[in-house]
Amino acid sequence: MLLLGIDIGTSSIKVAIVDAQTQQTVVTAQYPETETPITSLQNGWAEQSPEMWWEHVQMAILKANATGTYNPKDIAAIGIAYQMHGLVCVDKNQHVLRDSIIWCDSRAVPYGDAAFTAIGEEKCLSHLLNSPGNFTASKLAWVKDNEPHIYEQIDKIMLPGDFIAMKLSGCVTTSASALSEGVFWDFKNKELSKDVMGYYGFHTSIIPTIKDVFTEHGLVSESIAAKLSLTTGIPITYKAGDQPNNALSLNVLQPGEVAATAGTSGVIYGVGDTLSYDKQSRINSFAHVNHTAEQTRIGTLLCINGTGIANSFTRKLLAADKSYPYINEAAKQIPIGSEGLTVLPFGNGAERIFNNRTVGAHYQNINFNIHTEAHIFRAVQEGIAFSFRYGLDIMKENGITPSVIRAGKANLFLSDVFISAFVNATNVPVELYQVDGSVGAAKGAGIGAKIFASEKEAFANAKPLDLIEPTVASAYNDVYEEWKGFLMKQV
C-alpha cells in the first residue's frame, strides 16, 4: 500500500511515494529541475500561475511513475503540502481568474494595517491571533478594490493546496488550519471570522466547504486518474501549508516541540497549547495540523522571506556555472565573521519581524583588497543564520524557548557553514532528519486515510541522522551583535 505526497513549493513541485507498511520512501521526483520564476510586475509584487503549478504536479507524478520502482495503481491516498498564504481565485466553472498573489507579495500591507485598526488591535490579536497584515484575506481585499471585474467573477477563493486538490478531484474544500493562515479564522468563536468578512465586505459563499485537515478532501476523477496512471477514486486525505507540514514531517506535533526549515524562505515553527500571539504580530500563530475544537494546538511561526532566495541570488550573481556544494565548500575556507563582511538578506519583500517593513538586502564593509566571492558566500549564509537568531529572540519573548530544533537535511541545512552559524548563533542544538515536505504530505495522507492508527505510528521509524551542538557560540555571538548593530541602522 503506497501513499503519494505532493509539495507545492515556490521553486518547484516535489512528489514522494512512501510505503505505508515500512514507512520508507520508495522514490521522490521534482519538476522542473530549474527554479520556477516569480512574476513581479511592480516592486513588491510576487505572483505565480496556479495552472503552471498543476502542470508541474502532473509532470512530477509522471516522472516518478517513469522510474518503474512502484505500481501507481497501488497508491491508496494522496496528501498535499503547499506554499502558504497564496490567493487563488476561480469562477463557477473552476477556471482560474488571475495569477496567484503568493506569500512574499507585499502589496496588501496597507489593507491589512487598515483592518487591524478598524477591527481593533486587541480583538484581532485575541480572536485571529494575528494582524490581518499581508495575508490571504488582505490580498483578496486588494483584488476587490483594484480588480473589481475579477472580484465579481469569483465563485471560490482557495489556498494553493486547495487548488491542486480541486484539479485532482473537482471538489473544493478548505480547513480551519488553512483559513487561519489566511487570517479568516476566529479562534475564540471557532468559526469563520465575522469581523474579517464583514470589514472587507466578503460574502461567505466564496469560502470553500470547511473540513478537518486529516479527512477526505475529494476523490481523484476518472479523467485525471487515466492521465496519471492512478486508480479512479483515490482519496485526498490531507492538506496543509508547507510549514505546518514540515513540522508534521519532523514529528513536531506536541507542545514544546520546534521545527525549522530554510528553503526560499526560512521558518522556525513551535507548537503550543494556548491561543498565544505576539502583540506586534512580528511572529504569527496559526492552527497546527492537529488543532481541533477539543484540542488546542497552535503553531507559532517565525518567517523570514530572505533566506534561501538570498543564497540563490548570490549563486546566480557570482557563480552561475557552479553548484551549491561548490558555494558551501568555498564558504568553509573563510573564517567566522567573513573578515568583517556583513550581509542583511532581506531582499524578498516586507518582513513580518520588522512589522511588515521592507528593509531590503544590504552588504557592509566590502574590502576590495581582502574579500573574495567566497567571503560573500559565507557572509550571506551567516547573515541568514543571524536572521534566525533575531527572530528566535522574538519567539523567546513569547515563551518559546526550544532545547532542540528539528530540521530536514535539505536546502541550507546541507551547508556545514550555515548549520554551524545557525546552531552557534542561536545556541540551540539541531537534530537533522532525512525528510522533506513531500514525504511529510504522504505520511499525512496515511494519517488522514487511517492507514496509520495514529500520528505516533506514522513516525515510529523516524530516527535523526545527526545532532549538531553549539561549540563556538561565544565567537558567533560577538559577530551577531555586530550584524545586529548594522541591522538596527536600517530598521
Side-chain angles (χ1 to χ4, degrees):
M1 186 178 294
L2 303 178
L3 304 167
L4 168 61
I6 302 169
D7 185 9
I8 316 300
T10 309
S11 299
S12 66
I13 306 299
K14 295 179 182 177
V15 301
I17 305 297
V18 172
D19 186 311
Q21 184 172 3
T22 66
Q23 300 180 18
Q24 297 300 305
T25 303
V26 177
V27 69
T28 62
Q30 173 181 316
Y31 192 90
E33 294 299 329
T34 55
E35 294 181 13
T36 303
I38 295 173
T39 302
S40 185
L41 299 177
Q42 294 189 33
N43 185 36
W45 289 22
E47 300 183 0
Q48 287 184 330
S49 164
E51 292 293 355
M52 176 193 67
W53 297 333
W54 172 233
E55 181 64 27
H56 290 177
V57 165
Q58 294 175 84
M59 296 302 294
I61 292 171
L62 292 172
K63 185 177 177 181
N65 290 351
T67 63
T69 53
Y70 64 94
N71 183 351
K73 299 292 185 183
D74 291 337
I75 294 172
I78 299 173
I80 301 171
Y82 57 88
Q83 50 173 289
M84 297 173 72
H85 317 305
L87 171 67
V88 181
C89 305
V90 300
D91 65 16
K92 62 183 179 180
N93 296 313
Q94 299 188 349
H95 295 151
V96 175
L97 292 168
R98 70 172 329 280
D99 280 355
S100 174
I101 303 175
I102 65 171
W103 56 276
C104 55
D105 187 290
S106 303
R107 77 186 77 176
V109 169
Y111 291 83
D113 289 347
F116 196 36
T117 300
I119 296 170
E121 294 185 11
E122 192 282 329
K123 190 168 190 182
C124 281
L125 294 174
S126 61
H127 284 257
L128 308 174
L129 307 188
N130 302 283
S131 161
N134 195 36
F135 297 109
T136 315
S138 301
K139 292 177 170 75
L140 181 59
W142 183 93
V143 173
K144 183 173 184 280
D145 192 31
N146 292 273
E147 298 175 344
H149 60 293
I150 297 292
Y151 184 82
E152 290 165 5
Q153 299 176 66
I154 295 175
D155 180 63
K156 291 289 184 289
I157 62 106
M158 288 173 276
L159 281 296
D162 300 330
F163 172 76
I164 295 303
M166 182 198 78
K167 296 297 286 189
L168 285 165
S169 67
C171 294
V172 186
T173 71
T174 191
S175 67
S177 180
L179 291 171
S180 76
E181 73 175 75
V183 191
F184 288 102
W185 190 251
D186 185 323
F187 281 91
K188 280 199 171 179
N189 294 327
K190 302 178 182 180
E191 65 182 8
L192 192 64
S193 171
K194 292 183 174 67
D195 292 310
V196 170
M197 299 298 285
Y199 171 76
Y200 283 137
F202 301 153
H203 197 279
T204 57
S205 65
I206 66 174
I207 302 297
T209 302
I210 302 170
K211 293 193 169 189
D212 292 339
V213 170
F214 297 106
T215 194
E216 183 194 298
H217 291 273
L219 306 175
V220 174
S221 67
E222 184 177 356
S223 61
I224 297 302
K227 188 174 184 180
L228 300 178
S229 300
L230 304 175
T231 301
T232 300
I234 297 172
I236 301 153
T237 54
Y238 170 80
K239 290 187 300 183
D242 52 8
Q243 300 310 326
N245 177 73
N246 180 65
L248 171 80
S249 71
L250 292 163
N251 195 21
V252 170
L253 294 164
Q254 302 307 324
E257 296 176 338
V258 177
T261 184
T264 302
S265 63
V267 166
I268 298 178
Y269 186 98
V271 179
D273 56 4
T274 62
L275 297 181
S276 62
Y277 53 85
D278 178 58
K279 291 182 179 180
Q280 297 183 51
S281 215
R282 297 165 297 174
I283 56 177
N284 301 106
S285 299
F286 306 118
H288 195 26
V289 293
N290 56 344
H291 177 80
T292 64
E294 297 76 31
Q295 173 182 268
T296 300
R297 291 292 181 269
I298 301 298
T300 298
L301 187 153
L302 155 73
C303 180
I304 305 161
N305 290 353
T307 54
I309 195 169
N311 202 44
S312 170
F313 174 85
T314 305
R315 185 185 72 84
K316 290 175 183 175
L317 197 66
L318 299 178
D321 59 338
K322 302 294 196 308
S323 65
Y324 286 112
Y326 168 85
I327 288 175
N328 297 341
E329 190 60 33
K332 285 173 67 174
Q333 311 311 311
I334 306 301
I336 294 170
S338 305
E339 296 191 284
L341 179 57
T342 301
V343 174
L344 304 182
F346 307 115
N348 195 29
E351 294 283 0
R352 294 174 219 165
I353 55 174
F354 306 129
N355 304 105
N356 281 323
R357 288 200 294 273
T358 301
V359 175
H362 298 265
Y363 298 73
Q364 178 178 257
N365 295 333
I366 294 178
N367 186 315
F368 300 140
N369 299 311
I370 297 175
H371 295 135
T372 65
E373 64 176 23
H375 286 84
I376 298 176
F377 297 154
R378 183 174 189 112
V380 167
Q381 293 192 14
E382 288 182 337
I384 295 167
F386 295 151
S387 304
F388 277 101
R389 158 68 187 275
Y390 183 88
L392 184 59
D393 285 349
I394 295 173
M395 296 184 81
K396 287 179 179 178
E397 291 175 23
N398 287 271
I400 297 171
T401 54
S403 58
V404 66
I405 295 173
R406 298 176 192 167
K409 192 172 177 61
N411 300 315
L412 279 166
F413 282 102
L414 292 169
S415 166
D416 291 339
V417 166
F418 174 76
I419 294 172
S420 178
F422 180 96
V423 167
N424 286 286
T426 61
N427 203 23
V428 180
V430 167
E431 279 184 349
L432 290 177
Y433 290 78
Q434 195 63 61
V435 298
D436 68 16
S438 58
V439 173
K443 290 195 173 184
I447 296 168
K450 295 183 170 51
I451 293 169
F452 298 125
S454 64
E455 297 160 355
K456 183 176 180 180
E457 182 180 302
F459 297 95
N461 296 338
K463 305 295 180 187
L465 296 172
D466 201 359
L467 173 66
I468 299 94
E469 300 194 64
T471 55
V472 285
S474 178
Y476 269 102
N477 189 64
D478 291 343
V479 179
Y480 169 74
E481 291 299 335
E482 293 178 10
W483 178 92
K484 184 179 177 182
F486 178 37
L487 171 64
M488 291 300 99
K489 295 176 184 177
Q490 309 306 319
V491 299

